[in-house]
Amino acid sequence: MIGLLILLAFSTCLLWLFYHDVKERVSVSPAVWIVIIWSAIYSSRPVTEWFSSGPISLSSQDEGNLTEALISLALILSGLVVLHRRGVQLSILIRNNRWLFVFYLFWLMSLFWSDYPFITFKRLFKDLGNVVMVLVVLTERDSGEAIKAVCNRVAYALIPLSVLLIRYFPDIGRTYSGYDRSQAMWVGVATHKNTLGALALVGALFLLWDILDREKSSKGRTKDGIFVARILVLLMSWYLLLIANSMTSLLCALLGSILLVVLGRPSIRQRPGRLEVCGLGAGVTLLMLEWVFNVKETLLLSVGRDETLTTRTDIWPILMNFQDSPLLGAGFNTFWAGQRLISLFEKVGGIIQAHNGYIETYLNGGLVGVGLLLVLLLSGYTRIRKELITGMPEGSIRLVILLVAVIYNYSEASFNKVSLLWLLTLFAVMQYRAHPPLPQTDFLPTASMTDRTFQDDGVRPVTEPPH
């Protein structure tokens, strides 16, 4: 009974928080709610799983779920309608994101060599939904505020709800693993501790970014109530990171938070070379310490892990033996499909990902896929570096997201997965700009200038400039 009362109180507070967050972010259009719903679904558990129980069969992994497919399709079509109304042009999208276009073109071509082309097509179409959602954000009047709205509102809803489910509704918020089902796993709104950890990671980073950004803003401070609410949800994010036992997410959250604070200093933010030198120096130092003192084992033991990264390194060679096409791979997200999935289940149990984003990309796309992924990440970093130097406000969070994605995918796999982390990675590397960026000025625009600059629906104009 007390759990239901607390859930009711939380729902009331959530509506209040949403209302004031919408009022505060006047530059963010209602279309962003499409992205929020998409992100909330793929940060937690499938919609149908909230109304059913029981394990998922191997065959259902290939066949999918019709209800889930229709929900995804409805959200993708809604996003496409928004982009059509905003006049988004494919030619500009390709021109601004050449390597992303080549990356997805390669995955589209994988239909020709995939063992299961229909499965490949379904999963690729669904993954392109992430691109649609990122474009909705990028074509907002203020894409930085828009991505804050997406991640913060998802955190407002799912982080406290996860705490409530773990504490008061253990049948939903906890699951059990091990041969005797005696090992409790805190999952909250998710289906696995690592998924919950990824959600808490995003919440910790974006709530901190929003709090730091509001504090230094010259346009006024956040109201006390909503400021306290953000602090509370931020603390809940760290609480979940600590209890979920998802060490990758915890370490990424620590590193990302430190980097966000450091990038708050203009002297560092606008001189990324300093960060590069520090990063290179830290890497060389760690390599020397590992060579002399074998610090890797000590560090892993200090965080409750062994040198196999909880058997991950034992599984990787087994997966490599199932790679039949080292150059091109099995096809987009099709390595874990069909008869191969059944054979892998017999070898490695119920694992359905490599727990390494680079190996996962190799299994699906071979050496070509890995090469294109690395080029995409490098081109994204080059663009972010320019944004930092020129003082673009979103440069800091883009750099943090990209760095976290690069590190996170060493022991987890988020590349080309329909998830909030992959959506944010795409946000970090993507760009949609119909006009060259305007130079920074110190004067405020007049009302007439504002009317000419923005469309009636609150988004930046996205048509080609006249020649």
Side-chain angles (χ1 to χ4, degrees):
M1 184 63 181
I2 187 172
L4 291 175
L5 291 175
I6 293 176
L7 185 61
L8 179 61
F10 161 69
S11 302
T12 304
C13 293
L14 181 62
L15 291 175
W16 176 88
L17 191 52
F18 278 166
Y19 172 75
H20 286 281
D21 196 80
V22 169
K23 285 185 63 177
E24 185 179 74
R25 304 183 201 277
V26 292
S27 63
V28 178
S29 75
V32 164
W33 284 103
I34 299 171
V35 189
I36 293 170
I37 295 171
W38 174 278
S39 301
I41 291 173
Y42 293 110
S43 297
S44 54
R45 62 183 71 187
V47 175
T48 53
E49 283 197 28
W50 289 101
F51 307 100
S52 63
S53 60
I56 301 174
S57 65
L58 291 179
S59 61
S60 68
Q61 293 287 339
D62 292 341
E63 296 169 2
N65 183 293
L66 180 59
T67 302
E68 300 293 340
L70 291 175
I71 293 172
S72 298
L73 180 61
L75 291 170
I76 292 172
L77 292 177
S78 300
L80 289 173
V81 169
V82 171
L83 298 180
H84 175 71
R85 292 186 62 184
R86 294 178 177 181
V88 171
Q89 298 182 27
L90 183 60
S91 60
I92 300 176
L93 176 62
I94 295 173
R95 187 177 68 217
N96 291 168
N97 305 275
R98 291 185 179 91
W99 283 112
L100 183 68
F101 172 73
V102 174
F103 186 60
Y104 273 104
L105 181 62
F106 168 75
W107 290 125
L108 181 62
M109 292 172 62
S110 72
L111 287 168
F112 295 106
W113 61 78
S114 171
D115 294 335
Y116 309 98
F118 183 62
I119 295 176
T120 301
F121 175 78
K122 288 193 304 180
R123 293 177 179 177
L124 178 58
F125 179 81
K126 190 174 182 179
D127 187 78
L128 285 171
N130 282 312
V131 177
V132 173
M133 299 303 151
V134 172
L135 277 174
V136 171
V137 171
L138 292 177
T139 53
E140 286 284 314
R141 180 188 299 184
D142 186 340
S143 58
E145 279 299 305
I147 198 65
K148 280 182 192 174
V150 170
C151 294
N152 282 8
R153 292 174 196 175
V154 169
Y156 296 157
L158 299 187
I159 296 295
L161 182 58
S162 291
V163 175
L164 290 179
L165 292 180
I166 291 171
R167 177 66 179 84
Y168 296 103
F169 301 91
D171 291 342
I172 302 174
R174 305 177 191 178
T175 188
Y176 297 88
S177 59
Y179 292 107
D180 55 356
R181 308 291 292 174
S182 61
Q183 300 176 15
M185 182 191 299
W186 315 128
V187 297
V189 298
T191 56
H192 194 274
K193 67 182 182 67
N194 292 332
T195 312
L196 178 63
L199 170 64
L201 161 64
V202 172
L205 292 179
F206 274 84
L207 286 164
L208 176 62
W209 179 42
D210 199 18
I211 291 169
L212 293 175
D213 201 42
R214 300 284 170 188
E215 280 296 305
K216 65 186 179 184
S217 173
S218 60
K219 296 181 179 179
R221 301 243 174 162
T222 312
K223 292 182 179 179
D224 291 342
I226 198 169
F227 178 79
V228 170
R230 285 182 182 134
I231 293 292
L232 289 175
V233 179
L234 176 61
L235 293 175
M236 290 181 192
S237 298
W238 281 102
Y239 170 74
L240 291 176
L241 284 166
L242 291 172
I243 70 168
N245 195 29
S246 179
M247 197 54 59
T248 303
S249 296
L250 177 60
L251 294 177
C252 286
L254 282 170
L255 178 62
S257 298
I258 293 171
L259 188 56
L260 270 177
V261 174
V262 170
L263 289 172
R265 299 179 62 87
S267 59
I268 297 178
R269 183 175 63 250
Q270 295 179 1
R271 292 177 175 82
R274 295 181 178 181
L275 287 174
E276 293 166 351
V277 170
C278 291
L280 182 61
V284 171
T285 302
L286 286 174
L287 286 175
M288 293 182 65
L289 289 173
E290 169 63 16
W291 181 52
V292 177
F293 301 108
N294 190 26
V295 296
K296 179 181 177 181
E297 182 179 2
T298 304
L299 290 174
L300 288 172
L301 290 175
S302 67
V303 295
R305 296 294 185 268
D306 54 36
E307 288 193 274
T308 67
L309 299 179
T310 322
T311 72
R312 283 170 171 78
T313 57
D314 295 334
I315 294 171
W316 293 340
I318 299 174
L319 299 180
M320 294 298 187
N321 291 332
F322 280 83
Q323 171 60 287
D324 299 325
S325 178
L327 183 62
L328 298 176
F332 181 82
N333 279 351
T334 318
F335 180 79
W336 304 87
Q339 184 58 43
R340 187 166 44 241
L341 177 61
I342 297 173
S343 300
L344 285 166
F345 184 83
E346 296 173 354
K347 289 283 187 180
V348 298
I351 298 172
I352 55 173
Q353 61 146 300
H355 286 286
N356 181 297
Y358 307 98
I359 293 177
E360 185 82 3
T361 303
Y362 170 72
L363 297 174
N364 290 303
L367 294 173
V368 176
V370 174
L372 290 174
L373 172 65
L374 295 178
V375 172
L376 175 64
L377 296 175
L378 182 59
S379 65
Y381 174 73
T382 303
R383 179 180 293 168
I384 293 168
R385 196 179 192 279
K386 293 178 181 177
E387 291 183 355
L388 289 171
I389 294 173
T390 56
M392 295 287 285
E394 300 161 28
S396 298
I397 194 63
R398 287 178 188 266
L399 178 60
V400 171
I401 292 169
L402 189 63
L403 181 62
V404 164
V406 168
I407 297 173
Y408 182 88
N409 277 272
Y410 177 70
S411 59
E412 298 294 341
S414 69
F415 295 139
N416 285 119
K417 302 292 184 182
V418 185
S419 66
L420 183 54
L421 275 178
W422 176 237
L423 184 146
L424 291 173
T425 306
L426 288 174
F427 172 78
V429 301
M430 277 181 66
Q431 185 182 65
Y432 187 87
R433 183 178 293 125
H435 301 286
L438 295 175
Q440 295 291 326
T441 58
D442 294 328
F443 64 86
L444 294 175
T446 62
S448 60
M449 291 173 60
T450 304
D451 292 339
R452 289 196 303 269
T453 304
F454 300 114
Q455 297 176 351
D456 292 337
D457 62 352
V459 298
R460 65 183 70 170
V462 290
T463 55
E464 284 275 21
H467 296 285

